[in-house]
Amino acid sequence: MKYLFRDTPDFRSRLVEMLKRDAFTNDVETAVAAIIDDVRARGDQALCEYAAKFDRTTLTPDRFLVTEDEIAAAIATVPAEDKAAIDMAVAHIQDFYSHTLPKNWSYSPRPGVTLGEQFHPLDSVGCYIPGGTAPLVSTVCHTVAIAKTAGVKQIVVCTPPGGEKGIHPALLYACKAAGATAVYRLGGVYGVAAMAYGTATVPAVQKICGPGNAFVAAAKRRLYGTVALDLVAGPSEILVLADKSANPAYVAADVLSQAEHGSGREQAVLVATDKAFLQGVASEIERQAALLKRQACVQQVLENGVFLIEAKDLDEAAEIASLYAPEHLELLVEDPEALAPKITAAGAIFMGLYTPEPVGDYVAGPSHVLPTGGTAKFFNGLTGEAFFRRTSLLHYNREALLAEQPAIARLTAAEGLDAHGASAAIRK
């Protein structure tokens, strides 16, 4: 853990330096580019080789697709209580997004002019579901269920093959419950590349959504333009903003909540207004961390990615949080509703003592696919509208065009585009 107290010399410059992060190092970019180019060139053959290399799984193209019989056999082993939890998450997500879907609309701003927008669901979407270090059942719900609610007809899931154990049965149940139309046992960069370019066996999709590690995030960034993307979501992160009213045990648990994902690049930041409180939480973090199962992951993040920062007051704490622009932001303060409007950049804000980040990861409703690495300053989390094509609608009658022809003529002349001008002027 790394500390930054308010009385530290050059506090501001040290703060900025501490909060820097960049998942896209040269070694990551180089490795990702080579895999993507190889999948594009060699298709299924490359996928088989990368499945063996990265996921220690022997595959042939006829084994890429998880069959309906395989899914049925797997989900028969899922406990009823797990199915109920997945069903609850899917229902809550579908309910939330049913209220957010875009609707066709139009209006008449001037006589003879009608303007508006129409929306159509995408035809095909690929959802990448991490599963290398942990089978992210919840990510199925937070991607596939939204696409299904939006009306996307072809919803393809790619997830790591899982080695000898195979894909986790609960993940396959979530795929069925959320509405996936096909599941492929293809992971990481090679799975994302397969969905982007298509192969003889894997269909190309129009958009790829879902989070991943630094390599998956770099792959998505490189493939932008070949396919549409939701956002570039890399290693997970959380910022907890707390005052002295917060329970140190709760704060410590929340700081640790993102440390177990497994890449070692995760970050957790605690910003508080009292030095003694920070030190007390640090002791609690060490105590709780020792009890967690995924020690290798957690200890790596504790060493490199946990930052405890003292702010002079809640206004400065909100400024620091907005500067960091975290994926997840918790407000463990006496009046979170008053503080939330002061946060200008965050993927999602969790307000109050009883709204820990995992409610958003699992059952609340809004998607947990959120911007990371500071990109919350210009990206949003996954939305229902992300699964639609938007088209502008413009309709002029004769009188309306004649009224605006002089302005069109002046503008086209200024640009030197006489054919544009003639297209309007020829209509009398």
Side-chain angles (χ1 to χ4, degrees):
M1 291 181 281
K2 301 175 183 179
Y3 294 88
L4 182 61
F5 297 125
R6 200 63 187 75
D7 56 5
T8 302
D10 301 321
F11 173 83
R12 193 70 184 184
S13 60
R14 288 173 181 261
L15 172 68
V16 172
E17 187 63 29
M18 177 180 281
L19 297 183
K20 282 182 179 178
R21 66 262 203 220
D22 184 8
F24 304 109
T25 57
N26 288 336
D27 58 331
V28 170
E29 295 281 6
T30 301
V32 164
I35 296 169
I36 288 174
D37 291 346
D38 195 22
V39 170
R40 185 180 188 183
R42 297 194 298 126
D44 287 347
Q45 182 181 352
L47 298 182
C48 294
E49 292 174 11
Y50 288 124
K53 179 178 180 179
F54 295 124
D55 292 313
R56 299 179 298 280
T57 302
T58 300
L59 288 179
T60 52
D62 63 317
R63 291 283 298 147
F64 292 167
L65 178 69
V66 183
T67 67
E68 289 297 318
D69 287 345
E70 289 174 319
I71 293 174
I75 66 178
T77 68
V78 179
E81 295 82 0
D82 291 358
K83 292 179 179 178
I86 292 168
D87 291 343
M88 173 191 285
V90 168
H92 290 181
I93 292 162
Q94 290 178 331
D95 177 67
F96 178 82
Y97 283 98
S98 70
H99 293 282
T100 71
L101 300 182
K103 296 178 176 60
N104 298 345
W105 66 278
S106 64
Y107 81 122
S108 180
R110 303 176 293 281
V113 177
T114 302
L115 305 175
E117 295 177 327
Q118 68 180 19
F119 298 87
H120 293 283
L122 295 173
D123 302 312
S124 60
V125 167
C127 299
Y128 181 72
I129 311 300
T133 61
L136 293 191
V137 176
S138 58
T139 298
V140 177
C141 305
H142 284 269
T143 54
V144 174
I146 305 171
K148 179 69 174 180
T149 304
V152 179
K153 291 183 172 59
Q154 184 184 38
I155 307 172
V156 173
V157 166
C158 274
T159 193
E164 293 181 0
K165 293 183 178 180
I167 300 172
H168 196 288
L171 194 151
L172 292 174
Y173 177 78
C175 288
K176 295 298 289 184
T181 57
V183 181
Y184 290 87
R185 42 171 72 89
L186 300 167
V189 175
Y190 69 94
V192 172
M195 290 191 288
Y197 290 116
T199 71
T201 305
V202 182
V205 300
Q206 296 171 339
K207 187 167 193 169
I208 294 175
C209 63
N213 60 20
F215 291 88
V216 169
K220 289 175 67 177
R221 188 169 74 161
R222 190 172 186 84
L223 290 165
Y224 178 72
T226 300
V227 289
L229 301 178
D230 50 355
L231 67 159
V232 179
S236 190
E237 60 198 27
I238 186 170
L239 187 147
V240 180
L241 196 163
D243 60 19
K244 288 192 291 186
S245 70
N247 185 321
Y250 294 2
V251 175
D254 296 349
V255 167
L256 288 167
S257 66
Q258 302 307 301
E260 63 180 355
H261 273 291
S263 78
R265 298 171 184 263
E266 292 75 23
Q267 288 192 356
V269 180
L270 170 60
V271 181
T273 55
D274 182 81
K275 182 185 296 187
F277 179 83
L278 283 171
Q279 293 168 330
V281 171
S283 298
E284 184 65 21
I285 289 173
E286 291 179 351
R287 186 190 69 80
Q288 292 188 25
L291 304 175
L292 298 174
K293 295 178 181 178
R294 297 167 66 85
Q295 281 294 309
C297 306
V298 171
Q299 291 303 322
Q300 189 172 356
V301 175
L302 283 178
E303 182 177 344
N304 300 310
V306 175
F307 307 96
L308 296 92
I309 301 170
E310 180 190 10
K312 65 181 179 181
D313 53 32
L314 288 180
D315 284 343
E316 183 176 66
E319 182 184 351
I320 292 170
S322 299
L323 175 67
Y324 185 72
E327 177 188 17
H328 310 106
L329 171 63
E330 289 189 2
L331 301 181
L332 299 185
V333 297
E334 286 187 288
D335 191 355
E337 285 77 13
L339 189 59
K342 298 179 181 180
I343 306 298
T344 60
I349 300 176
F350 302 80
M351 297 190 289
L353 189 63
Y354 297 104
T355 318
E357 187 275 339
V359 301
D361 269 353
Y362 295 101
V363 296
S367 180
H368 75 198
V369 179
L370 299 167
T372 64
T375 60
K377 294 171 184 172
F378 44 83
F379 277 127
N380 303 313
L382 188 59
T383 66
E385 189 172 344
F387 294 101
F388 283 83
R389 287 186 291 267
R390 170 201 167 277
T391 305
S392 299
L393 299 175
L394 305 86
H395 185 187
Y396 276 54
N397 65 17
R398 179 175 179 275
E399 291 72 20
L401 176 61
L402 293 177
E404 297 183 11
Q405 271 181 340
I408 296 172
R410 297 296 300 180
L411 293 169
T412 57
E415 293 182 346
L417 299 176
D418 58 337
H420 281 67
S423 175
I426 200 171
R427 289 166 164 78
K428 303 296 185 182

